[in-house]
């Protein structure tokens, strides 16, 4: 989650959402025009225009007035809006790029760990099979009792293997120019099952693997879909329902999530721009709508062409 001192602005510089720390530092809360804030009236406005347009350095230094300390604005994301982080000059300056680096590194590390876990699991399955054969050859009551325990162990190992398989297919898919859309949605929904249960949400999935294929980079599509899932899960009120689907619509594939409207996390407001840009780069688009207390977001991508 982005730290305190953040705000999301439209391209014109109007603050759409901001936390208290941002308002206190910059003097511009929700609804304000950042360009009219006191800190930006003298000698900074021209640089501010370029900064908000995504041009130039990602950090803008603003000198203080009189005895007031200066501040720094860091541009975290730019697309259909601008995500900014404010901090006092000389304060905590850990760049967001380091958090991005950490996220990429941890994702790669998790994929490596998952592969490492699969090896001993497969070895355990083999050993259990050998034990089962030995027990089956015996005829005493203890052998019969152990057989049930071994079956239970094999079932639990298979369950762990399936979770790891789903994770690897979504988090670290092989390079390709198309992917199984139904499998991706089903795997992502399964991975979010525990979080949904923890939040007392009913998560269902209508996506069949092997039926529908979408064009594009599967790794990129997975990143966008995981972001949409996370925001849907975290913004759905307790006892709410979520429905994930993969469906065809003409020459397009629609990966959608419907959920009860709730109070979302303001720090996730920047996601729409990221997903929109990513979908557009894949020849698709992001659709979002809300009606009668139901929010629907969809990643729409072209179908994979038959070779």
């Amino acid at each position: 989650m982005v730290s305190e001192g953040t705000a999301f602005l439209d391209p014109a510089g109007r603050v759409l959402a901001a936390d208290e720390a941002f308002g206190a530092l910059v003097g511009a809360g929700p609804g304000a025009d950042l360009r009219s804030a006191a800190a930006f009236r003298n000698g900074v406005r021209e640089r501010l225009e370029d900064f908000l347009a995504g041009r130039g350095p990602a950090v803008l230094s603003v000198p203080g007035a009189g005895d007031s300390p200066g501040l720094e604005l860091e541009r975290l994301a730019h697309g259909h809006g601008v995500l900014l982080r404010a901090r006092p000059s000389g304060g905590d300056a850990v760049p967001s790029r380091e958090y991005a680096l950490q996220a990429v590194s941890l994702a790669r590390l998790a994929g490596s760990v998952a592969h490492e876990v699969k090896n001993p699991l497969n070895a355990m399955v083999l050993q259990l099979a050998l034990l089962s054969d030995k027990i089956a050859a015996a005829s005493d009551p203890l052998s019969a009792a152990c057989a049930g325990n071994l079956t239970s162990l094999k079932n639990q190992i298979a369950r762990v293997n399936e979770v790891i398989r789903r994770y690897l297919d979504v988090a670290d898919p092989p390079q390709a120019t198309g992917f199984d859309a139904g499998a991706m949605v089903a795997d992502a929904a399964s991975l979010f099952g525990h979080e949904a249960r923890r939040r007392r949400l009913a998560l269902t999935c209508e996506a069949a693997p092997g039926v529908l294929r979408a064009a594009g980079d599967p790794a990129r599509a997975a990143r966008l879909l995981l972001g949409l899932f996370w925001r849907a899960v975290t913004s759905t009120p307790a006892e709410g329902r979520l429905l994930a689907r993969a469906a065809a619509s003409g020459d397009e594939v629609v990966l959608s999530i419907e959920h009860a409207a709730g109070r979302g996390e303001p720090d996730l407001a920047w996601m729409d721009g990221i997903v929109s840009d990513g979908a557009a780069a894949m020849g698709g688009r992001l659709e979002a709508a809300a009606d009668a207390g139901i929010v629907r977001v969809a990643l729409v991508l072209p179908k994979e062409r038959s070779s």
Side-chain angles (χ1 to χ4, degrees), residues 179-187 205-214 246 253 255:
F179 60 94
D180 186 332
M184 182 176 288
V185 172
D187 288 344
C205 180
E206 296 178 359
V211 176
L212 191 59
R213 293 190 61 84
V253 174
L255 313 181

Side-chain angles (χ1 to χ4, degrees), residues 135 139-152:
I135 288 175
S139 57
D140 56 85
L142 180 60
S143 298
C146 288
N149 296 115
L150 289 176
T151 299
S152 178

